[in-house]
């Protein structure tokens, strides 16, 4: 069993649970503190006295700890926590249509029940017993605090929030400046690239214009060279021939032929003003002419 104002060990920590209240504040001497979706009230003077009496011990509220542990059932009208083995002393929580009120159990009686509970004649026999001990309890996220400590914490959170907001604005501005600088650099790079491409386009357009001025209207022909090649190969079609020639204008065409008794007359017949024959060795002659075709 657990009780208020006695040293306990919860989750390995030395603590003291003081009496707190759920529902309406009994008087203006009570301080309010949130716990999850609910809130509890407690006397600040009791909190201060408990701290002084237990300097190395954390102080929480009884109902605050039960809320943090999750043992309270919001669907039950009467819930009780006994603090002795005879079950005649303890605390109760009454819930009616979302309205909560906690109180004490003394001599087996529910003390200071609200009018609605009295009208329904609720008693301990109608209550759900909250079975909790040190091994099953969980500590709330924060200890109970004085009013000044709550204000100080609120101001610190507000200041921290303002600092985060300022840092967020500074970060946004810094990011904006970084993006602006990046875009500026990229713009300069693109401008340089665009200028280079534009210059290249201008040069290309000038070259196209120059080519257009030198455009040929007569299709190149290789008639003469090809005709001479045909005549030579046709006259010497049974001979082993090799040639060295180009179709470019003013290039010399050379056809090499093996000297035989049979082809000597044919070679002489090919000779004219354009085609020349020269015996370059006892075994070989060369037939030459100049390519006069215009490319």
């Amino acid at each position: 069993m657990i009780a208020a104002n006695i040293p306990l060990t919860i989750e390995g920590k030395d603590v003291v649970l003081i009496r707190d209240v759920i529902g309406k504040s009994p008087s203006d001497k009570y301080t309010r503190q949130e716990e999850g979706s609910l809130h509890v009230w407690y006397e600040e003077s009791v909190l201060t006295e408990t701290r002084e009496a237990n300097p190395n011990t954390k102080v929480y509220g009884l109902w605050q700890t039960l809320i943090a542990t999750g043992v309270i059932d919001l669907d039950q009208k009467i819930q009780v926590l006994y603090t002795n083995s005879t079950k005649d002393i303890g605390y109760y929580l009454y819930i009616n249509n979302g309205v909560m009120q906690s109180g004490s159990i003394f001599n087996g009686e529910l003390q200071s029940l609200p009018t609605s509970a009295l009208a329904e004649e609720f008693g301990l026999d109608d209550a759900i017993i909250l079975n909790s001990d040190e091994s099953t309890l969980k500590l709330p996220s924060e200890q109970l605090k004085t009013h000044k400590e709550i204000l100080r914490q609120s101001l610190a959170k507000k200041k921290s929030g303002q600092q985060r907001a300022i840092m967020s604005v500074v970060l946004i501005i810094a990011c904006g400046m970084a993006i602006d600088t990046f875009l500026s650099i990229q713009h300069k790079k693109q401008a340089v690239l665009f200028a280079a491409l534009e210059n290249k386009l201008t040069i290309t357009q000038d070259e196209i214009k120059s080519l257009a001025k030198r455009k040929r209207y007569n299709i190149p022909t290789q008639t003469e060279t090809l005709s001479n090649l045909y005549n030579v190969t046709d006259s010497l079609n049974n001979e082993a021939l090799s040639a060295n020639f180009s179709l470019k204008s003013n290039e010399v065409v050379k056809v090499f032929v093996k000297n035989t008794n049979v082809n000597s007359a044919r070679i002489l017949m090919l000779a004219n003003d354009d085609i020349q024959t020269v015996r370059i060795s006892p075994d070989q002659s060369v037939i030459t002419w100049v390519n006069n075709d215009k490319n």
Side-chain angles (χ1 to χ4, degrees):
M1 293 186 181
I2 61 173
N5 303 317
I6 61 172
L8 300 172
T9 301
I10 300 175
E11 294 186 327
K13 297 179 180 179
D14 294 331
V15 303
V16 172
L17 306 183
I18 66 172
R19 183 180 177 184
D20 53 359
V21 177
I22 297 179
K24 293 182 179 180
S25 172
S27 70
D28 56 4
K29 296 180 180 180
Y30 280 69
T31 300
R32 169 176 161 167
Q33 185 164 316
E34 304 295 326
E35 180 59 41
S37 60
L38 304 176
H39 60 265
V40 296
W41 297 88
Y42 51 92
E43 288 187 85
E44 190 169 308
S45 59
V46 175
L47 171 60
T48 303
E49 291 172 0
T50 304
R51 285 179 175 178
E52 292 174 352
N54 303 273
N56 298 318
T57 304
K58 299 180 180 296
V59 181
Y60 299 90
L62 177 65
W63 286 112
Q64 179 197 23
T65 302
L66 292 175
I67 293 171
T69 304
V71 297
I72 294 177
D73 187 349
L74 299 180
D75 294 326
Q76 298 294 330
K77 281 198 170 184
I78 291 284
Q79 300 166 76
V80 298
L81 176 69
Y82 292 112
T83 58
N84 65 352
S85 58
T86 58
K87 296 183 179 181
D88 58 353
I89 296 177
Y91 307 99
Y92 73 84
L93 176 64
Y94 172 71
I95 305 175
N96 184 35
N97 295 325
V99 178
M100 299 183 180
Q101 180 173 329
S102 62
S104 301
I105 301 172
F106 186 71
N107 290 334
E109 297 289 337
L110 299 169
Q111 305 296 312
S112 304
L113 272 175
T115 305
S116 58
L118 293 174
E120 295 183 65
E121 298 183 351
F122 277 115
L124 289 175
D125 293 337
D126 303 306
I128 299 297
I129 299 175
L130 301 176
N131 294 314
S132 294
D133 55 34
E134 296 176 67
S135 63
T136 60
L137 291 177
K138 297 183 182 299
L139 292 177
S141 58
E142 294 184 346
Q143 300 181 60
L144 294 181
K145 297 180 288 292
T146 64
H147 186 66
K148 287 184 178 180
E149 289 171 343
I150 292 174
L151 289 177
R152 193 180 302 119
Q153 184 182 49
S154 178
L155 289 174
K157 287 183 179 179
K158 184 177 181 181
K159 184 177 180 180
S160 177
Q162 290 174 340
Q163 290 176 339
R164 285 195 297 269
I166 292 173
M167 289 302 296
S168 297
V169 172
V170 171
L171 182 61
I172 291 172
I173 293 173
C175 289
M177 292 177 65
I179 292 172
D180 184 64
T181 301
F182 173 77
L183 292 177
S184 178
I185 293 172
Q186 292 301 312
H187 174 72
K188 289 179 180 178
K189 289 182 178 179
Q190 294 298 323
V192 171
L193 178 61
F194 177 77
L197 291 175
E198 193 174 42
N199 182 57
K200 189 173 183 180
L201 177 62
T202 301
I203 294 172
T204 303
Q205 288 175 336
D206 291 341
E207 290 177 350
I208 291 173
K209 291 178 181 179
S210 177
L211 289 173
K213 291 179 180 179
R214 294 184 281 113
K215 180 179 179 182
R216 283 182 167 168
Y217 294 94
N218 296 320
I219 300 173
T221 178
Q222 308 296 334
T223 304
E224 183 179 343
T225 297
L226 294 176
S227 178
N228 288 339
L229 280 173
Y230 175 77
N231 291 334
V232 170
T233 56
D234 185 58
S235 299
L236 304 171
N237 59 359
N238 292 324
E239 305 297 334
L241 304 176
S242 63
N244 181 8
F245 68 93
S246 171
L247 296 179
K248 292 184 178 180
S249 299
N250 301 318
E251 292 286 336
V252 177
V253 179
K254 296 179 180 181
V255 178
F256 299 92
V257 61
K258 185 177 181 181
N259 293 329
T260 66
N261 293 329
V262 177
N263 65 18
S264 58
R266 295 179 182 176
I267 293 174
L268 291 174
M269 289 176 62
L270 290 171
N272 55 43
D273 293 338
D274 296 327
I275 299 177
Q276 305 295 323
T277 62
V278 179
R279 190 182 184 92
I280 59 176
S281 71
D283 298 324
Q284 192 176 48
S285 296
V286 60
I287 304 169
T288 64
W289 68 88
V290 177
N291 183 9
N292 292 320
D293 286 327
K294 301 297 181 182
N295 296 129

